[in-house]
C-alpha cells in the first residue's frame, strides 16, 4: 500500500531528520543555569530552520571557585551530527577547566590543544568570559567570534572589542584578552554569529540591530533586574532571528549584575494545620522571585510543608506553640530553609502504619536534610540548589508551570461503570479530613471501580498521601478495583513513585 507521494515521503523524512538533530543538539546543552545571589543569568537556544544547518552552536554557564562564574558561547565548524560531537567535547573541556578555577589563559590553552587534536574542531569559534560576581570584574577572550555586548542601566550599549584572536588552533593561537568592569544593573550579552550574520545584512548592520534590540528591552523595563537577562535572550531569538528566518543556529547568554543581594524570608505562625496555606503562599512567592525551574519549586514547597507538618503533629502535646520559617539563598546558589519550633519531638510509633513518609519525601526532594531535636525544640534544615530553566526554541526541559490554585477541591461523579473522584489544589494536613470523608463516601457507592484523578493537584503532601494509602488498602481489601490517574508531568506523580503507592495500585497517565 502506498503511504503517500514521493514529495510527501521526502517531507516526512526531512521533518524526522530535523527532530533527531534537535534532540541530539539539546542533549549536549545544559539542563539548567545556576541561580546566584549577586547575578541573574539566562540563556536561550533556537535552532536553524533547515536540518542541514542545524547543530554546532553551544553555550555553558559554570560556577567557579572564588565567587566567579564562567560563561561560554561557541560555534563548531559545519553542521550536523559531526559538529554536535565536536561541540560536546569542547564544552566538556571548557567546563572542566572552569570548574577547577583555572585562569582564562589556561582555559584557552586547553581548548586550543583539544581543537588541534580533534578532527573537525580546528577553526571553531568561541567567546568566553569570567565574571567576579562580587566586584563585577570581567575577563574575556574572543576567538574568531563576535564581541560581547554590555547593556547599561539606561539601555546604552557598548561592544567590548579589546579581546581579539583567530578561531581555535589557527594562526599559532595568538590572541589578546580583554577586561572590563560590570557595574550594578549592567548586563553582559554573549551570542553566536547566527544572531548578527543574516542574509541581506552586513555584519555591522547585524551588530547594530542586536544593540538596538537589547537596549530597547532595558528601556522598556517590563521586568526587574533578575528578569532582565531572560527578556533580552527572548527578544534576541524572536525579534532578530524568529522562526522562518534562521539560516543558522542562535545561542544567547546574558548575565546582569544585581544592585543588591536578595532579602531572606522569615515568618512565624501558630503551629496548626490552617497555617500551611499561608506559610506555603509566602514561601512560594519569595521563591518565584528567583525564577527557578518548576521542579525545584515543587521540591522545596513540598519539603517545607512536610517540615511544618512535623512541627504541627509532633512538637506539641498541649496547646499549639509557634513554628518559625527562615529561608535564604546562599552564595553557592542553594536555598537554605530552617524550620524551628519550641515543642518536644514525639518519638515515632513502633508501627507507624501509613505514616512516616514525610521525612522520606523530604530527604528525596532535597540535597541535604538535617533534623535536630532537644528539650528546647526541634530544628529542620533543608538545602537544595536552585536552577533556572534553559529555553530551547521557546521550550524548556523543566516541567511546565503549575496553575496557582492552592485551595483544595473535590468532585465526585458516579458513572455507569465507575466512580470518578477528581481532586484539585494543594492536599496537605489542612484538608485531609475533607479528603477522607469524600473518599469514604465514594467507596460506599456500591461495588463500582474507584478512579481518583490527580491531574489538577498542585501539591501532594504526606498527609494526603497517607489518606490515599489508607483508602487504597481498604478498597483492595474489599476486592474492589482502584486506579489513580495523573500525568507524568504532574509533581504528584513523583510523590507516588517515592512513596511506593504506584506499586500498590494502578497509576494511569490519563483518564480512559
Amino acid at each position: 500500500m502506498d503511504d503517500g507521494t514521493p514529495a510527501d515521503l521526502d517531507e516526512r523524512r526531512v521533518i524526522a531528520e530535523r527532530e533527531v538533530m534537535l534532540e541530539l543538539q539539546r542533549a549536549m546543552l545544559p539542563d539548567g543555569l545556576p541561580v546566584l545571589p549577586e547575578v541573574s543569568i539566562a540563556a536561550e537556544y533556537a535552532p536553524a530552520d533547515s536540518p542541514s544547518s542545524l547543530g554546532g552552536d553551544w553555550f555553558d554557564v559554570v560556577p567557579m571557585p572564588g565567587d566567579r562564574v564562567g560563561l561560554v558561547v561557541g560555534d563548531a565548524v559545519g553542521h550536523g551530527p559531526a559538529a554536535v560531537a565536536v561541540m560536546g567535547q569542547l564544552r566538556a573541556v571548557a567546563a572542566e577547566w572552569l570548574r577547577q578555577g583555572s585562569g582564562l589563559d589556561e582555559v584557552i590553552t586547553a581548548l586550543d590543544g583539544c581543537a588541534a587534536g580533534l578532527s573537525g574542531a580546528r577553526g571553531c569559534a568561541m567567546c568566553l568570559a569570567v565574571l567576579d560576581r562580587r566586584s563585577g570584574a570581567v575577563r574575556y577572550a574572543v576567538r574568531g567570534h563576535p564581541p560581547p555586548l554590555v547593556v547599561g542601566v539606561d539601555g546604552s550599549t557598548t561592544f567590548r572589542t579589546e579581546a581579539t584572536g583567530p578561531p581555535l588552533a589557527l594562526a599559532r593561537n595568538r590572541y589578546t584578552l580583554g577586561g572590563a568592569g560590570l557595574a550594578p544593573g549592567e548586563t553582559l550579552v554573549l551570542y553566536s554569529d547566527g544572531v548578527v550574520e543574516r542574509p541581506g545584512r552586513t555584519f555591522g548592520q547585524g551588530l547594530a540591530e542586536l544593540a538596538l534590540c537589547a537596549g530597547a528591552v532595558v528601556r522598556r523595563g517590563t521586568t526587574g533586574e533578575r528578569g532582565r537577562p531572560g527578556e533580552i535572550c527572548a527578544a534576541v531569538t524572536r525579534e532578530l532571528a524568529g522562526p522562518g528566518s534562521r539560516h543558522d543556529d542562535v545561542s544567547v547568554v546574558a548575565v546582569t549584575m544585581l544592585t543588591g543581594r536578595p532579602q531572606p524570608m522569615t515568618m512565624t505562625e501558630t503551629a496548626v494545620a490552617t497555617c500551611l496555606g499561608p506559610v506555603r503562599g509566602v514561601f512560594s512567592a519569595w521563591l518565584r522571585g528567583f525564577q527557578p525551574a518548576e521542579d525545584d519549586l515543587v521540591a522545596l514547597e513540598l519539603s517545607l510543608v512536610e517540615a511544618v507538618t512535623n512541627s504541627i503533629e509532633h512538637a506539641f502535646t498541649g496547646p499549639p506553640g509557634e513554628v518559625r520559617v527562615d529561608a535564604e539563598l546562599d552564595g553557592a546558589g542553594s536555598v537554605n530553609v530552617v524550620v524551628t519550633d519550641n515543642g518536644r519531638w514525639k518519638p515515632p510509633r513502633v508501627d507507624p502504619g501509613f505514616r512516616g513518609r514525610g521525612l522520606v519525601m523530604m530527604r528525596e526532594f532535597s540535597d541535604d536534610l538535617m533534623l535536630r531535636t532537644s528539650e528546647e525544640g526541634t530544628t529542620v534544615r533543608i538545602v537544595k540548589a536552585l536552577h533556572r530553566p534553559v529555553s530551547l526554541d521557546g521550550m524548556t526541559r523543566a516541567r511546565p508551570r503549575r496553575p496557582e490554585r492552592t485551595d483544595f477541591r473535590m468532585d465526585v461523579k458516579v458513572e455507569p461503570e465507575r466512580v470518578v473522584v477528581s481532586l484539585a489544589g494543594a492536599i496537605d494536613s489542612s484538608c485531609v479530613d475533607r479528603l477522607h470523608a469524600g473518599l469514604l463516601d465514594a467507596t460506599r457507592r456500591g461495588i463500582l471501580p474507584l478512579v481518583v484523578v490527580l491531574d489538577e493537584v498542585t501539591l501532594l503532601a504526606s498527609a494526603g498521601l497517607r489518606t490515599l494509602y489508607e483508602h487504597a488498602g481498604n478498597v483492595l481489601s474489599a476486592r474492589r478495583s482502584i486506579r489513580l490517574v495523573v500525568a507524568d508531568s504532574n509533581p504528584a506523580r513523583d510523590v507516588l513513585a517515592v512513596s511506593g503507592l504506584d506499586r500498590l495500585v494502578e497509576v494511569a497517565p490519563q483518564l480512559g
Side-chain angles (χ1 to χ4, degrees):
M1 179 178 176
D2 188 2
D3 291 330
T5 65
D8 292 335
L9 295 175
D10 286 343
E11 183 178 359
R12 286 200 291 269
R13 178 181 56 78
V14 169
I15 292 173
E17 288 177 355
R18 175 178 168 80
E19 289 303 314
V20 170
M21 272 301 305
L22 278 174
E23 285 303 311
L24 184 60
Q25 176 81 359
R26 289 166 178 165
M28 292 291 185
L29 296 174
D31 290 326
L33 307 174
V35 176
L36 301 168
E38 305 90 354
V39 297
S40 179
I41 308 170
E44 187 152 342
Y45 165 78
D49 296 319
S50 170
S52 63
S53 299
L54 261 172
D57 266 26
W58 59 285
F59 63 85
D60 210 349
V61 177
V62 184
M64 300 173 62
D67 294 323
R68 294 178 298 159
V69 60
L71 307 104
V72 194
V73 170
D75 190 359
V77 176
H79 303 284
V84 174
V86 168
M87 169 195 92
Q89 294 182 70
L90 290 175
R91 179 182 168 228
V93 169
E96 180 61 25
W97 284 81
L98 289 169
R99 210 171 280 121
Q100 293 176 6
S102 305
L104 205 51
D105 273 316
E106 294 176 295
V107 180
I108 295 298
T109 299
L111 286 166
D112 271 320
C114 176
L118 182 63
S119 177
R122 292 177 64 89
C124 289
M126 55 152 287
C127 180
L128 189 153
V130 174
L131 169 66
D132 185 316
R133 48 193 176 93
R134 289 192 179 272
S135 68
V138 185
R139 293 276 287 169
Y140 58 93
V142 175
R143 300 295 301 273
H145 202 274
L149 172 68
V150 174
V151 187
V153 180
D154 59 356
S156 59
T157 55
T158 304
F159 285 99
R160 307 304 309 196
T161 57
E162 300 90 342
T164 60
L168 296 178
L170 295 180
R172 298 184 180 179
N173 305 328
R174 294 175 180 171
Y175 63 89
T176 59
L177 301 180
L182 202 62
E186 290 186 335
T187 302
L188 177 69
V189 183
L190 277 59
Y191 52 94
S192 63
D193 57 8
V195 172
V196 294
E197 295 181 354
R198 305 193 306 279
R201 296 286 190 277
T202 66
F203 182 73
Q205 287 173 329
L207 291 176
E209 290 176 350
L210 169 62
L212 185 63
C213 176
V217 168
V218 175
R219 286 190 291 273
R220 284 197 297 265
T222 55
T223 62
E225 284 182 342
R226 196 165 281 277
R228 188 174 299 157
E231 193 176 6
I232 288 175
C233 290
V236 169
T237 56
R238 287 157 182 73
E239 296 175 19
L240 297 186
S245 64
R246 298 180 194 136
H247 296 265
D248 196 0
D249 292 349
V250 170
S251 294
V252 189
V253 176
V255 54
T256 298
M257 283 290 297
L258 303 177
T259 54
R261 292 176 65 89
Q263 293 297 312
M265 187 216 83
T266 298
M267 67 181 304
T268 302
E269 292 284 338
T270 303
V272 292
T274 52
C275 83
L276 290 172
V279 167
R280 178 176 170 241
V282 171
F283 178 70
S284 178
W286 176 79
L287 200 57
R288 285 186 186 276
F290 300 112
Q291 302 176 344
E294 194 70 15
D295 287 353
D296 293 343
L297 180 65
V298 169
L300 281 163
E301 282 185 349
L302 183 61
S303 298
L304 172 69
V305 167
E306 293 303 327
V308 175
T309 300
N310 276 333
S311 291
I312 294 169
E313 295 185 349
H314 298 292
F316 306 102
T317 55
E322 290 186 334
V323 58
R324 172 172 170 153
V325 178
D326 295 278
E328 67 173 355
L329 180 69
D330 67 21
S334 292
V335 168
N336 289 250
V337 183
V338 179
V339 179
T340 54
D341 62 59
N342 58 353
R344 298 187 62 181
W345 188 264
K346 299 176 188 175
R349 302 176 183 178
V350 176
D351 179 13
F354 294 108
R355 293 178 174 268
R357 291 182 174 82
L359 285 174
V360 173
M361 290 164 59
M362 289 163 64
R363 289 192 177 96
E364 182 68 24
F365 290 113
S366 62
D367 297 333
D368 188 35
L369 177 70
M370 183 274 292
L371 171 65
R372 185 178 68 245
T373 63
S374 68
E375 294 295 322
E376 289 75 33
T378 298
T379 299
V380 178
R381 182 172 179 266
I382 303 157
V383 180
K384 184 170 180 60
L386 278 191
H387 300 88
R388 183 171 183 169
V390 173
S391 179
L392 305 176
D393 196 22
M395 304 294 290
T396 66
R397 288 198 187 105
R399 74 169 91 238
R401 173 160 292 192
R402 301 163 296 138
E404 297 295 330
R405 171 178 291 278
T406 57
D407 56 304
F408 172 70
R409 189 179 75 246
M410 174 187 290
D411 178 68
V412 179
K413 183 179 180 181
V414 180
E415 299 179 353
E417 297 180 351
R418 62 188 178 184
V419 177
V420 179
V421 179
S422 298
L423 306 178
I427 304 178
D428 53 35
S429 59
S430 67
C431 62
V432 289
D433 289 343
R434 293 159 56 197
L435 175 63
H436 173 79
L439 289 175
L440 191 62
D441 179 63
T443 55
R444 289 172 176 165
R445 309 259 181 145
I447 59 173
L448 293 176
L450 182 64
V451 180
V452 182
V453 182
L454 306 173
D455 275 345
E456 294 187 49
V457 170
T458 55
L459 181 137
L460 179 58
S462 61
L465 183 67
R466 183 168 66 236
T467 302
L468 290 177
Y469 251 106
E470 292 172 346
H471 282 272
N474 292 338
V475 171
L476 294 174
S477 296
R479 299 183 181 278
R480 291 178 57 192
S481 169
I482 180 170
R483 180 162 56 103
L484 304 180
V485 175
V486 58
D488 292 337
S489 61
N490 190 296
R493 185 64 184 86
D494 296 338
V495 174
L496 297 180
V498 169
S499 69
L501 183 55
D502 60 349
R503 295 189 291 273
L504 178 65
V505 301
E506 177 191 357
V507 178
Q510 57 187 7
L511 184 64

